[in-house]
Amino acid sequence: MSARKIEEARAVLEVAAPIEYATADEHRTTKITPDQTTPGTRTLANEVPVALEFDGSPYAVMMLTPADLEDFAVGFALSERIIARSDEIARIDVRQGTRGIGIDVRLEREHSARLAERRRAIPGQSGCGICGLTSIEEALPQLTPLTAAPRLAQTALFRALESLPARQTLNQTTGAVHAASFCRSDGEILVVREDVGRHNAFDKVIGHMAREGLDAFSGFALLTSRCSYELVQKAVLARIPILATISAPTELAVSIAHAANLTLIALARGDSALVFNDPFGSIAK
């Protein structure tokens, strides 16, 4: 990484006054069932990009609940085999920034050689969507907001939810994979892909849509996972205007959905779902 990029990454974290990141935030929601809507609120876990440096050099960006950061830094260093014992760390400096947190782990001089041996060139992984990135700007790219979304009948969402389990053939066998799907606005499922990683499954759907020339605006994505910020980014980048997931979103996912005008539905189950963002009034009875 060039010196300029290192300085840019650090500049993102520099502010005049410290920022206290909350571990959770409350958001207004609208609960929908097949025949009614009810306003409410939901407390969401927060995730924040954390840029890890060892001896002043960028190592990785991870997404964390912003608590117990020193514990994380030590555990991460042990897991990565950068250190063998916690006393090999001289100090840990935490910097709060406007778009994330920086952690600089300084090693005792006699243990710095191991760091060069463990410098990572990470292959793709199934769980974390950004392992190997070294800049918060890489983790949170600027997104072009969506300009419209199709109308989605509430009954269409529940039709897709009812149909999806039968299409999850690998999960029926293993019970250990996520599914991503793209559905028409009437709830008909057009494509389903499964993978151990929710990010991978969604990428497969997006890739299929691109190869087949499917119109992303014509429907919505439905995923059998929690809604992390990466999934929101993928939907916006693919120009899919509506994203629904069966588990809860994080606070960052909702914030990005608001900024990018993505219609976001989560905790979508057979009898209800929560609408976290509906910028175009797309959800209709």
Side-chain angles (χ1 to χ4, degrees), residues 4-20:
R4 181 181 64 81
K5 282 190 172 291
I6 292 173
E7 290 305 314
E8 288 176 353
R10 288 176 177 167
V12 173
L13 300 170
E14 293 176 357
V15 291
I19 293 175
E20 292 296 330

Side-chain angles (χ1 to χ4, degrees), residues 238-260:
R239 312 314 285 171
I240 298 172
I242 302 174
L243 173 63
T245 66
I246 66 168
S247 293
T250 64
E251 193 279 335
L252 181 59
V254 175
S255 296
I256 294 176
H258 277 282

Side-chain angles (χ1 to χ4, degrees), residues 1 25 37 48 88 106 132 142 169 176 229 258 273 276:
M1 173 175 280
D25 288 293
T37 62
V48 174
E88 296 176 8
R106 298 285 172 162
Q142 295 296 317
T169 55
Y229 85 102
H258 277 282
F276 284 89

Side-chain angles (χ1 to χ4, degrees), residues 21 25 53 70 120 123 126 203 231:
Y21 287 97
D25 288 293
E53 297 179 0
E70 291 84 358
R120 297 188 302 177
S126 63
D203 281 340
L231 300 180

Side-chain angles (χ1 to χ4, degrees), residues 135-177:
S135 162
I136 287 176
E137 293 296 338
E138 291 179 275
L140 297 174
Q142 295 296 317
L143 300 173
T144 301
L146 297 158
T147 57
R151 297 284 283 177
L152 176 63
Q154 294 171 198
T155 53
L157 173 63
F158 295 107
R159 176 189 179 192
L161 283 164
E162 184 178 7
S163 303
L164 185 56
R167 302 281 294 272
Q168 296 175 244
T169 55
L170 181 58
N171 194 58
Q172 290 171 8
T173 302
T174 66
V177 295

Side-chain angles (χ1 to χ4, degrees), residues 13-32:
L13 300 170
E14 293 176 357
V15 291
I19 293 175
E20 292 296 330
Y21 287 97
T23 57
D25 288 293
E26 191 171 80
H27 280 261
R28 287 181 294 179
T29 66
T30 301
K31 182 177 181 179
I32 61 174

Side-chain angles (χ1 to χ4, degrees), residues 190-247:
L190 295 180
V191 56
V192 177
R193 293 290 183 269
E194 295 180 280
D195 197 279
V196 292
R198 59 188 185 276
H199 312 95
N200 301 341
F202 200 16
D203 281 340
K204 290 175 181 179
V205 167
I206 292 170
H208 174 82
M209 293 174 64
R211 295 179 66 192
E212 297 298 320
L214 296 180
D215 179 12
F217 183 80
S218 65
F220 63 99
L222 174 62
L223 279 61
T224 63
S225 68
R226 72 180 181 91
C227 184
S228 59
Y229 85 102
E230 304 102 315
L231 300 180
V232 169
Q233 286 184 340
K234 289 178 186 294
V236 175
L237 289 168
R239 312 314 285 171
I240 298 172
I242 302 174
L243 173 63
T245 66
I246 66 168
S247 293

